Amino acid sequence: GPDGTLGLGRRAAMRVGPPELRTGGRAPLAPRSVATVPRHPLPSIGGHPPRNRAHHRPARPGPALRRRVMALVVVLTLLFVGVLGRLADLQVVSPERYVAYGESQRIRSEVLAADRGSLLDRSGAELALSVPRQTVWADPAAVTDPAAAAARLSPLLGVDTLELRDRLSRGTRFEYLARQVDDDTAERIDALDLAGVHLMVEPLRTYPGGDLASSVLGRADVDQQGVSGIELQLDEALTGEPGEAVFERSLTGLTIPVGERQVRPPTRGDHVELTIDRSLQFVVEDELAARVDEMDARGGTAIVSDPRTGEILAMASVAVDDETGELRPTSHGAGVVDVFSPGSALKLVTVAASLEEGLSSPQRSLVIGDTIEQGGYVFTDHSPHATEPWTVARILSESSNVGTITLARELGAERVWDYLDRFGFGASTGLGFPGESAGLLRPVDEWYGSDLGGAAIGTGVSVTALQLLTAYNTVANDGVHLAPRLVNARIDADGTRHEEPRAEGRRVLSESTSRQVADMLTSVVDAGTGRLAAVPGYQVAGKTGTAWKVLDGGVFADGAGRHQYMATFVGFAPADDPAVSVIVVLDGPRTAYSGGGAAAPAFSRIAQYALRNLDIPPDPALDDAAVTTVSAAAGDRVRAPVTLAPDASDEGQAEGQGDATAAATSSEIAGGGSVDG
């Protein structure tokens, strides 16, 4: 400035003092001309250039920069909102899902198999039960040397080495190697101490009696699931409720001691008490197999029941294996599943209907010839005889086709069909057995001219053995039809017994009609076609049946004109107070083909044992003739000689060699021609 203060201003000059003081006492310098003062700005005392608002204001950002800044702000805002949303989802909206995901990596659970309930006979003896067995499994990821492990396991498990190596090399964490091995094999495998190979306990279904009652019991598979018979029918009740073990494991697979651990024990299935009697079942199977073998038959079925309750005491079926030729129990309950033509055994229905409708009495006499025409077909009796008066009792006793068809004509097709329906033919018995057949009884409005005759003598209807036995039980039970039963009770896991509900009976015949029919059936055994069914000490009521068997292709004769037969005997004893009923059916017998010759002797032996097993005392007034006896203790057959009257040597002569002219269309449709007509 003009005062030599360098432009510091008045206040600055005042602070630094007069010039002489600032120059140390020397004379002040000559003032410079204003023109010599530099134009550039001098630094301020603080080291910063003086502010010049006109020349140093910062430039304002342009539109492009502003857009970039706004875009960045938007992106950051969106990211922030996304993070907040994710946190809200994780912690507020659905935290359970992610907690569960985390737990799934740590928490493991194992199913604890429930013991399958046992099948018991009527006295509580076990027919089927489950026992613990060891199962061999592997964790392939933990197997260090699959080839070496397979080589050591193969001889113990009986599994091919290459197959085992393949299982041990799979990319899974669980592979079965052998299910339910015996204890010795399990111990030897455990001693190998192979990495990744383990043992676990599984229940094994076992049958203490071997094949005893196998046709009825059926089978359960390796996973304890019923696949046939009672095992399938009552699978839900027998299976029980599995349990569960929950525990926590580390990433290395070790159980965390302080981790979560829960155990829900399994609940075993119900024990099921059947109506079957084990000792009687053994005798029935033994006698049936022996008779099938003696008669060179293809197979056979036998059922024993209590007609007062409908309870099935024994049921067996055997057949010759087509591949091996061996006789063995069938894999299904043939007495409930398979159908056949009953032949003369069905005449019971026509005779009973005639009595119940008031058209006949046992003593009523009809003039009967040895042939009769029905619907364009000629039916004949088993042997020629004169046209003469026959009582209704004699018609049934000697199994007259002509007499039975005569009674059926009086009834008419509608009433014959109605009584067949009342007795339960053409419908399920209600037993509920897997695969049970309803048989075949076509509606009456579909009958042809000859069908009335065929149905009357048992060639126009197909039945199961159980249906036919139930019909005879109706007569034995004073005319009241009772559904058959196989289950007495269920016993739950707590030991509580639950009785199986009993179906209500329904009346089919009056008590008086039933008594009359029962009396007539005793004459079949006393003096008719069923003499070989007699049981010493007991009055037996029953009926024979012989019919052609339907062959492959729906025909009754092979290329050479030969027939095969279904031979049946069905009845009950004692006749005046029935306690046991039995049916025996032989498939294709060759030594003797008729019901009286082939099936009746087996009926006698089975009924004799059943009566003694049930403690039914014999009638001392009855003749104790020499017939086959059965050892109650061991079921051994002791055959005594049987002496027959010359005119009753075999039902094949007394009933079964009729004229083939009776093979009517109705029989072909219903499933059986008959030698009875």
Side-chain angles (χ1 to χ4, degrees):
D3 57 359
T5 60
L6 299 176
L8 297 177
R10 181 179 298 174
R11 292 183 181 179
M14 291 174 64
R15 288 196 296 270
V16 299
E20 62 270 20
L21 293 178
R22 287 183 276 111
T23 60
R26 294 191 297 270
L29 297 175
R32 291 186 178 182
S33 172
V34 177
T36 63
V37 178
R39 291 291 185 182
H40 56 79
L42 296 176
S44 65
I45 295 176
H48 297 284
R51 295 183 180 180
N52 188 330
R53 297 183 184 276
H55 299 285
H56 297 282
R57 183 176 298 152
R60 299 180 66 184
L65 180 59
R66 284 198 300 272
R67 285 194 297 271
R68 287 195 295 270
V69 171
M70 289 302 296
L72 179 61
V73 171
V74 170
V75 170
L76 293 176
T77 301
L78 292 175
L79 290 175
F80 182 71
V81 171
V83 171
L84 287 179
R86 184 63 172 163
L87 289 175
D89 180 55
L90 291 173
Q91 299 184 7
V92 179
V93 178
S94 57
E96 298 84 1
R97 180 160 60 99
Y98 299 101
V99 171
Y101 178 72
E103 290 179 348
S104 68
Q105 296 179 316
R106 308 185 316 276
I107 305 299
R108 297 288 183 269
S109 67
E110 289 185 2
V111 175
L112 303 178
D115 287 340
R116 189 173 179 85
S118 298
L119 292 174
L120 314 174
D121 86 333
R122 65 189 300 110
S123 64
E126 289 179 316
L127 300 173
L129 69 155
S130 296
V131 297
R133 283 289 185 270
Q134 295 285 354
T135 283
V136 186
W137 66 280
D139 177 359
V143 176
T144 56
D145 190 345
R152 301 182 69 183
L153 290 170
S154 178
L156 297 179
L157 300 180
V159 181
D160 182 69
T161 304
L162 294 179
E163 182 180 346
L164 282 175
R165 187 180 67 180
D166 177 64
R167 295 184 194 176
L168 295 172
S169 303
R170 293 173 183 170
T172 62
R173 299 303 304 268
F174 184 93
E175 287 289 335
Y176 281 118
L177 301 184
R179 303 288 297 274
Q180 302 162 349
V181 300
D182 58 71
D183 293 339
D184 179 62
T185 300
E187 291 177 1
R188 296 172 67 182
I189 290 175
D190 188 50
L192 294 178
D193 195 23
L194 297 173
V197 177
H198 309 279
L199 296 171
M200 69 177 181
V201 176
E202 279 192 318
L204 171 68
R205 197 63 166 174
T206 61
Y207 302 88
D211 287 333
L212 182 69
S214 60
S215 300
V216 179
L217 302 179
R219 284 291 181 266
D221 63 16
V222 70
D223 293 314
Q224 298 286 286
Q225 299 297 312
V227 295
S228 62
I230 292 294
E231 293 276 27
L232 175 59
Q233 179 181 346
L234 303 179
D235 185 59
E236 184 176 352
L238 291 167
T239 297
E241 183 179 352
E244 183 181 28
V246 179
F247 49 91
E248 194 168 356
R249 282 183 176 177
S250 66
L251 293 177
T252 60
L254 299 177
T255 301
I256 301 174
V258 296
E260 182 175 350
R261 184 177 183 87
Q262 298 177 2
V263 176
R264 177 171 57 84
T267 302
R268 75 154 172 81
D270 292 347
H271 294 327
V272 176
E273 181 185 291
L274 302 178
T275 60
I276 297 294
D277 181 284
R278 184 175 61 172
S279 61
L280 180 58
Q281 179 72 29
F282 173 80
V283 171
V284 170
E285 292 186 7
D286 188 49
E287 289 293 341
L288 178 64
R291 193 59 181 171
V292 168
D293 183 60
E294 291 166 0
M295 295 295 100
D296 194 19
R298 296 297 305 165
T301 296
I303 306 175
V304 182
S305 74
D306 184 340
R308 301 164 297 187
T309 63
E311 295 175 356
I312 297 174
L313 306 179
M315 183 161 63
S317 57
V318 297
V320 175
D321 188 287
D322 291 333
E323 296 182 0
T324 64
E326 296 179 358
L327 186 64
R328 59 183 58 186
T330 63
S331 59
H332 65 290
V336 185
V337 176
D338 294 347
V339 297
F340 64 99
S341 180
S344 292
L346 202 64
K347 291 175 181 175
L348 164 88
V349 176
T350 303
V351 173
S354 183
L355 270 62
E356 183 71 9
E357 292 296 314
L359 302 179
S360 298
S361 68
Q363 295 76 32
R364 180 194 175 193
S365 180
L366 295 87
V367 176
I368 300 298
D370 58 2
T371 63
I372 189 170
E373 187 272 334
Q374 175 65 35
Y377 290 87
V378 177
F379 294 84
T380 69
D381 274 347
H382 51 77
S383 60
H385 61 81
T387 300
E388 57 185 358
W390 283 43
T391 64
V392 173
R394 183 183 177 188
I395 288 173
L396 185 62
S397 173
E398 298 190 25
S399 198
S400 170
N401 295 326
V402 175
T404 306
I405 294 173
T406 301
L407 296 176
R409 281 180 170 179
E410 295 177 347
L411 288 164
E414 288 78 10
R415 282 196 287 190
V416 170
W417 186 95
D418 180 58
Y419 273 88
L420 288 168
D421 178 64
R422 290 191 200 182
F423 273 95
F425 297 107
S428 169
T429 64
L431 189 66
F433 196 83
E436 180 177 1
S437 173
L440 179 60
L441 175 62
R442 291 184 297 110
V444 67
D445 55 8
E446 296 180 7
W447 282 13
Y448 299 96
S450 63
D451 285 340
L452 174 61
I457 65 173
T459 64
V461 181
S462 291
V463 305
T464 67
L466 185 60
Q467 283 179 323
L468 189 57
L469 180 63
T470 302
Y472 277 74
N473 284 349
T474 299
V475 173
N477 196 42
D478 293 332
V480 176
H481 177 281
L482 291 175
R485 294 165 48 86
L486 258 176
V487 178
N488 269 338
R490 303 182 187 189
I491 304 167
D492 64 24
D494 297 328
T496 304
R497 182 183 178 88
H498 304 274
E499 297 291 337
E500 193 72 7
R502 295 176 180 268
E504 292 291 331
R506 55 180 177 82
R507 182 161 293 281
V508 175
L509 302 173
S510 66
E511 185 174 339
S512 61
T513 298
S514 298
R515 297 277 178 107
Q516 290 175 331
V517 173
D519 288 341
M520 287 191 287
L521 290 174
T522 61
S523 66
V524 174
V525 179
D526 291 342
T529 60
R531 295 184 184 185
L532 294 182
V535 177
Y538 301 90
Q539 186 73 61
V540 175
K543 185 70 183 75
T544 56
T546 312
W548 286 336
K549 177 182 176 181
V550 179
L551 306 180
D552 293 339
V555 298
F556 297 113
D558 58 20
R562 293 185 297 264
H563 298 284
Q564 293 186 29
Y565 300 89
M566 298 297 295
T568 304
F569 190 91
V570 54
F572 49 86
D576 59 344
D577 186 16
V580 63
S581 58
V582 182
I583 184 170
V584 176
V585 182
L586 297 186
D587 177 6
R590 293 184 236 184
T591 305
Y593 63 81
S594 66
F603 171 96
S604 173
R605 291 191 286 269
I606 291 172
Q608 181 178 356
Y609 179 84
L611 289 165
R612 294 182 177 179
N613 188 56
L614 294 173
D615 294 326
I616 306 299
D619 185 347
L622 296 177
D623 181 23
D624 194 7
V627 295
T628 299
T629 60
V630 180
S631 168
D636 296 329
R637 291 179 303 281
V638 182
R639 291 185 172 79
V642 179
T643 303
L644 298 175
D647 60 344
S649 59
D650 191 283
E651 187 195 359
Q653 296 175 2
E655 177 193 35
Q657 298 183 18
D659 195 311
T661 56
T665 303
S666 62
S667 302
E668 297 172 357
I669 295 174
S674 174
V675 297
D676 299 334

